[in-house]
Amino acid sequence: MKRTKVCKVFAMGFILPLTCLLVFFQPANASPSKPKSVKVAFIGDISGPYAAITGPTYYGMTDALEYVNKELNGIDGVKMEGVVKDDGGRVAVGVSHYMEVREMKPRPVMVYIIVSALGEALRERLAEDKIVAMSVTGTPAIYPAKYTFGWFPLYCDLFGAFIDWLKETWKETRAPRVAFLTWDSTYGRGPVTP
């Protein structure tokens, strides 16, 4: 897939949720006039243990912001500014970054959280601060619904979809055996959430 197409795909996955959330969740101090730019924060693991899978998300976000700002002239003329914070996969560092981000003037319109445990740790704080977040989907981070939304299916739904697929496509007469090895962490326990 060419880089431009990847940027467009990521931009649509990035911009559509943002636009929908901005329509439904207007901050209490929202100004009636259109700002020159809005901030979108990214708090994730760029250098730690999850970097191999979350690091590319950072590059996708920066490419998408560049595409939206240069090719589409922003969203309705409003440019988007990325604020990137590397938590190295450590929840305490991510929480500290969030506390810094929430004090920015103006606040970011959305926070992208790229580590499941951080999404879970910030869930109540985001609701209290009324800051919308998109998070990787560890179930405790998004249910019951508040201000954090998943940006792909829940881990347990993905695992369930695999089991459904296996059941539907299994051709042998013997029953399949499935081994499930995982980390003892929010991310690792996500697929076996009831």
Side-chain angles (χ1 to χ4, degrees):
M1 197 182 287
K2 292 182 180 175
R3 182 181 169 122
T4 304
K5 189 169 184 178
V6 171
C7 288
K8 288 179 183 178
V9 168
F10 192 95
M12 291 306 104
F14 176 77
I15 298 306
L16 289 176
L18 176 62
T19 304
C20 291
L21 291 172
L22 290 176
V23 168
F24 294 111
F25 289 92
Q26 291 295 322
N29 59 353
S31 168
S33 63
K34 192 165 45 170
K36 292 179 81 170
S37 68
V38 294
K39 292 178 182 170
V40 178
F42 173 99
I43 303 173
D45 185 356
I46 300 171
S47 63
Y50 299 113
I53 56 175
T54 61
T57 305
Y58 158 73
Y59 295 107
M61 184 192 86
T62 56
D63 285 351
L65 289 175
E66 182 179 341
Y67 171 76
V68 168
N69 288 333
K70 288 185 178 177
E71 301 294 323
L72 304 178
N73 193 32
I75 298 176
D76 195 26
V78 177
K79 301 291 183 179
M80 300 183 71
E81 177 186 340
V83 176
V84 178
K85 300 289 183 180
D86 178 15
D87 64 19
R90 295 181 310 270
V91 172
V93 173
V95 169
S96 176
H97 286 324
Y98 171 76
M99 299 305 276
E100 179 185 336
V101 163
R102 78 183 190 120
E103 296 302 320
M104 291 179 167
K105 302 290 185 220
R107 280 183 172 178
V109 294
M110 180 180 289
V111 177
Y112 278 81
I113 301 169
I114 314 298
V115 175
S116 302
L118 179 59
E120 187 175 348
L122 290 177
R123 183 181 186 286
E124 295 302 321
R125 173 59 77 176
L126 288 159
E128 183 180 315
D129 294 339
K130 295 184 176 12
I131 295 178
V132 175
M134 295 293 286
S135 180
V136 293
T137 51
T139 307
I142 62 173
Y143 284 112
K146 287 197 177 185
Y147 274 76
T148 306
F149 300 86
W151 53 322
F152 54 78
L154 294 171
Y155 300 135
C156 51
D157 292 337
L158 291 169
F159 186 64
F162 165 71
I163 295 298
D164 288 346
W165 171 84
L166 183 64
K167 181 181 171 190
E168 292 169 12
T169 60
W170 188 258
K171 303 287 185 222
E172 296 186 31
T173 55
R174 67 174 178 84
R177 287 186 178 179
V178 176
F180 184 75
L181 305 174
T182 190
W183 294 317
D184 186 20
S185 66
T186 302
Y187 173 67
R189 289 185 300 271
V192 292
T193 302

